[in-house]
Amino acid sequence: MQKPTAAITGIGSYVPEYILTNHELAETLDTTDEWIMTRIGIKERRILKEENEGTSFMGVRAVNNLLEKTNTKPEDIDLVICATVTPDHPFPATANIIADKAGIGNAFHFDLNAGCSGFLYALATGARYIESGMYKKVIIIGADKMSSIVDYTDRSVAPIFGDGAGAVMLEPNFDGLGIQDMILESDGVGRQFLHQKAGGSVEPPSIESVNGGRHYVFQDGQPVFKWAVSKMADVSVEIMNKHNLTADDIAYLVPHQANMRIISATAKRMGLDPKKVMINIEKYGNTTAGTLPLCIADYEHKLKKGDNLILSTFGAGFTWGSIYLKWAY
Ligand code: UT7
């Protein structure tokens, strides 16, 4: 029997209603709209304000949107993978909670943490379950409530992140559409530049850890920037070359939305016209695992069956990678 490829057959998304603008940030922080727009490219970001609600609140809404759009019954789902760095709880997995709340009763589910590359790694993982022939409907979620770990008194981190969730359906395809190839890479040396110091097993939460602000995102921006610029471009060009793809062959680059300057540098190295780059950083900021599906959701109406997409990410770990896929609908 012919081996299937794994194709994205639908996409759902959810962002919270509350819009935190640069101007609102500048009321309490020593920053300006001009600095944030020039250095990062973000105008506003969404913040989940609902009390006692976490990442699953957004994940469930993205999944419900996906099930509705694809006309899929929750009981037909085989597997749910949720990529996140801000799970509802250290355990159980947020994927368990989302599946339960979405009425997905016949699947197994787990979380995956690969920083901002989480969605790309989860898509790569889910694809293998489809390609094996054992599973027919796999949901991949990228969701983060970054506002739960951002210090809003730190001007070097507060403007960057936002909250949001996206979810895609993966199904077998026998026409050669869907995921064609992937390059996934990591280097643990990068952990010193981007991490959360407390709240894990090394430094469990305590009054001291909270008073010291060690439960917040720590980022040394410049080394992260340098690595991101070179690695995201390297891996995107590498997958193009491996498949003899020219800029003309590519419909869209789907880049992680961390900094407009990183996105532009990647597109330039690929020789891509800026019109072929999916961008929504100005309205959502960096939603960590959410960036790729939120971008694809925004551009879904422009995509055509057979379009070549290159997905590309860089994140904490460090982790980075690219996926080459042919859009299937
Ligand atoms: O998604 C995971 C991967 N993460 C990334 O890809 C992020 C990579 N890094 C970056 O995007 C950038 O490094 C940042 C956006 C985080 C920072 O931009 P930068 O151009 O590297 O700025 P910098 O850290 O070198 O700071 C330059 C100056 C400093 O002032 P002095 O020391 O030159 O006087 C900062 O204190 O800008 C200052 N600064 C700010 N000024 C106004 C830092 N943050 C702000 C701010 N508003 N929000």
Side-chain angles (χ1 to χ4, degrees):
M1 206 181 102
Q2 193 195 340
K3 207 174 162 252
T5 47
I8 293 177
T9 56
I11 182 146
S13 64
Y14 176 83
V15 289
E17 275 170 30
Y18 190 84
I19 298 174
L20 175 59
T21 63
N22 290 347
H23 294 292
E24 188 182 339
L25 277 175
E27 285 169 14
T28 51
L29 279 178
D30 181 15
T31 191
T32 59
D33 174 57
E34 203 235 330
W35 192 95
I36 301 169
M37 278 306 286
T38 320
R39 305 305 297 169
I40 320 178
I42 301 170
K43 196 88 196 152
E44 56 193 43
R45 64 291 290 146
R46 300 300 178 105
I47 304 293
L48 184 65
K49 292 275 191 185
E50 271 74 3
E51 262 183 43
N52 302 319
E53 294 291 357
T55 295
S56 72
F57 180 90
M58 299 182 289
V60 171
R61 281 155 181 77
V63 166
N64 285 341
N65 180 225
L66 171 70
L67 293 173
E68 200 180 303
K69 278 174 74 180
T70 54
N71 202 15
T72 307
K73 293 196 206 86
E75 56 268 29
D76 290 342
I77 304 300
D78 300 310
L79 163 63
V80 179
I81 307 176
C82 179
T84 187
V85 300
T86 51
D88 280 18
H89 310 284
F91 68 89
T94 298
N96 303 148
I97 301 166
I98 294 173
D100 183 47
K101 289 185 177 170
I104 295 173
N106 297 322
F108 68 108
H109 3 96
F110 59 89
D111 284 0
L112 188 153
N113 177 345
C116 294
S117 302
F119 179 80
L120 188 123
Y121 277 38
L123 193 62
T125 305
R128 296 309 194 205
Y129 285 93
I130 295 286
E131 289 160 7
S132 75
M134 285 177 69
Y135 302 94
K136 306 286 180 236
K137 288 187 192 293
V138 171
I139 291 181
I140 309 296
I141 305 160
D144 270 300
K145 183 185 169 185
M146 294 305 291
S147 61
S148 64
I149 53 168
V150 163
D151 178 358
Y152 285 96
T153 66
D154 179 354
R155 70 173 183 171
S156 70
V157 172
I160 299 174
F161 295 101
D163 302 339
V168 298
M169 185 79 73
L170 278 179
E171 291 183 84
N173 185 284
F174 294 94
D175 298 322
L177 299 169
I179 293 176
Q180 306 293 303
D181 198 7
M182 56 187 76
I183 302 174
L184 308 180
E185 297 188 14
S186 310
D187 191 336
V189 80
R191 69 191 188 279
Q192 61 189 297
F193 303 118
L194 183 50
H195 58 256
Q196 185 181 330
K197 294 182 193 304
S201 55
V202 166
E203 189 177 351
S206 65
I207 288 167
E208 289 75 28
S209 72
V210 173
N211 285 343
R214 291 195 297 280
H215 58 301
Y216 290 131
V217 174
F218 168 85
Q219 175 166 262
D220 185 355
Q222 283 193 1
V224 180
F225 185 89
K226 280 186 197 146
W227 272 73
V229 160
S230 77
K231 295 298 183 188
M232 240 173 84
D234 285 353
V235 84
S236 309
V237 170
E238 188 184 338
I239 208 158
M240 274 175 85
N241 291 343
K242 205 173 152 194
H243 293 273
N244 294 318
L245 293 170
T246 66
D248 287 343
D249 300 321
I250 294 168
Y252 282 102
L253 165 68
V254 191
H256 173 50
Q257 311 280 307
N259 187 314
M260 198 51 220
R261 290 181 289 144
I262 300 172
I263 297 171
S264 301
T266 303
K268 197 169 167 203
R269 280 268 309 278
M270 296 169 77
L272 278 191
D273 187 315
K275 282 197 209 101
K276 292 186 168 192
V277 185
M278 291 192 187
I279 295 165
N280 61 10
I281 187 171
E282 73 287 349
K283 57 178 186 169
Y284 299 144
N286 182 349
T287 53
T288 302
T291 59
L292 263 48
L294 284 173
C295 253
I296 300 173
D298 276 359
Y299 283 76
E300 184 190 21
H301 64 286
K302 296 190 176 189
L303 295 173
K304 294 187 298 292
K305 195 172 179 173
D307 275 353
N308 287 322
L309 305 188
I310 305 285
L311 281 51
S312 181
T313 57
F314 183 86
F318 291 137
T319 55
W320 64 98
S322 60
I323 284 183
Y324 163 36
L325 64 83
K326 283 185 182 292
W327 194 246
Y329 63 95

